[in-house]
Amino acid sequence: MSGQSLLAPGELSPIRSVPGNIRRPEYVGKPAPTPYTGPEVQTPATVEAMRTAGRIAARAMAEAAKLIAPGVTTDELDRVAHEYMCDHGAYPSTLGYRGFPKSLCTSVNEVICHGIPDSTVLRDGDIVNLDVTAYIGGVHGDNNATYLVGDVDEESRLLVERTRESLERAIKAVRPGRQINVIGRVIESYAKRFGYGVVRDFTGHGINSSFHSGLIIPHYDSPHATTVIQPGMTFTIEPMLTLGTHEYDMWDDGWTVVTKDRRRTAQFEHTLVVTDTGAEILTLP
């Protein structure tokens, strides 16, 4: 794989402003969100609002991804996604969530998740995950994808391709009446074919008017994930696969999660609603 040096924290730009007429999630300005106590099964009106939020999040991610190239900073990707969401009346859900200072997450190479956009310059051969969530109409839409930067080595390219495939297989496994652990079972069995690690401590989650409702979607075959899938449930699936160990370290910023062996990792995510026969993706551009 690539012999590039490991990532190091860069410098943060000032927090970006959001127009005053855009509705904020209730957690903005607070140390933590109010715990969600509502149902996991959503009304048709809520699901329709989530389609709008999901579409904006997907398009904001796509706009930022257009800039991905060697020499571009992760902060510039944040700017593009931030402006797209604000221009379309949405609040960037990560901005101010438990103090997170930016409008999307940019996770490069060995960063599993929650990388903070900063002055870090993308290099030829890097891989970078963009994780974008939009809040509009009182609900959230959350998606992410991993992109190649320039000429990427075959090992990393296959990791990205197979991580995307693991998400697609997991979505196809969603059926009313099955337990949530079918999702992780499908992902883990596929990842094992290639010797990949499957991150266990960071998961998919319920999402609706709450960014994280409390419903947990493991990406490994967890015996504890016995919640039965029901039509109208809304949640994310977001597998994180690694070239080595699934174990991790966290930077001093309290957010950036890196593989313990510093080998590369990839992730893909969609927000879904369970239908009578399977699942509909709500984060399509």
Side-chain angles (χ1 to χ4, degrees):
M1 71 173 278
S2 170
Q4 288 176 321
S5 59
L6 297 177
L7 204 66
E11 295 183 6
L12 289 177
S13 64
I15 291 176
R16 304 187 196 281
S17 63
V18 176
N21 64 317
I22 292 178
R23 178 178 173 185
R24 272 74 169 154
E26 59 82 23
Y27 53 75
V28 174
K30 295 165 54 177
T34 301
Y36 179 71
T37 57
E40 298 298 345
V41 172
Q42 303 305 310
T43 66
T46 297
V47 172
E48 184 57 36
M50 290 180 67
R51 285 191 186 95
T52 298
R55 189 178 306 117
I56 292 172
R59 290 175 177 172
M61 184 173 72
E63 285 299 307
K66 290 177 182 178
L67 272 71
I68 291 175
V72 174
T73 66
T74 55
D75 186 67
E76 180 67 3
L77 303 178
D78 179 79
R79 181 191 65 79
V80 172
H82 176 93
E83 291 180 358
Y84 185 93
M85 284 185 274
C86 291
D87 287 348
H88 291 80
Y91 186 91
S93 299
T94 60
L95 185 61
Y97 179 78
R98 297 183 181 272
F100 192 84
K102 292 295 174 180
S103 298
L104 81 166
C105 301
T106 50
S107 300
V108 180
N109 295 344
E110 70 270 19
V111 179
I112 295 172
C113 58
H114 304 158
I116 301 175
D118 58 19
S119 61
T120 296
V121 176
L122 296 177
R123 302 163 298 180
D124 187 58
D126 283 345
I127 60 175
V128 58
N129 179 274
L130 305 186
D131 192 338
V132 181
T133 310
Y135 178 79
I136 188 172
V139 297
H140 301 268
D142 186 2
N143 69 163
N144 76 55
T146 302
Y147 299 88
L148 310 181
V149 184
D151 185 16
V152 175
D153 67 89
E154 182 73 356
E155 185 177 42
S156 298
R157 187 189 65 77
L158 286 172
L159 173 68
V160 171
E161 179 182 300
R162 291 164 176 168
T163 305
R164 181 192 294 109
E165 174 68 15
S166 76
L167 172 59
E168 293 174 356
R169 289 175 178 235
I171 292 171
K172 291 176 182 176
V174 174
R175 292 284 188 283
R178 293 179 174 176
Q179 294 182 341
I180 288 290
N181 57 16
V182 70
I183 295 168
R185 188 175 308 130
V186 166
I187 293 168
E188 187 172 40
S189 63
Y190 179 70
K192 280 184 174 179
R193 289 168 49 181
F194 311 104
Y196 295 154
V198 180
V199 172
R200 301 166 77 91
D201 294 276
F202 300 89
T203 67
H205 52 88
I207 184 169
N208 38 67
S209 60
S210 172
F211 195 170
H212 300 85
S213 73
L215 177 66
I216 301 299
I217 312 294
H219 302 121
Y220 65 99
D221 188 3
S222 169
H224 306 294
T226 56
T227 299
V228 175
I229 298 170
Q230 302 176 59
M233 276 185 166
T234 50
F235 52 80
T236 72
I237 303 176
E238 45 189 297
M240 292 151 264
L241 305 187
T242 68
L243 290 175
T245 183
H246 69 270
E247 296 180 345
Y248 70 93
D249 293 320
M250 186 176 287
W251 283 3
D252 291 342
D253 61 24
W255 284 105
T256 306
V257 179
V258 296
T259 53
K260 186 170 282 291
D261 59 9
R262 302 304 190 266
R263 298 194 71 192
R264 289 187 171 188
T265 176
Q267 182 184 16
F268 284 83
E269 173 187 24
H270 276 304
T271 295
L272 312 170
V273 60
V274 180
T275 67
D276 290 337
T277 57
E280 175 193 346
I281 298 173
L282 298 177
T283 39
L284 291 176

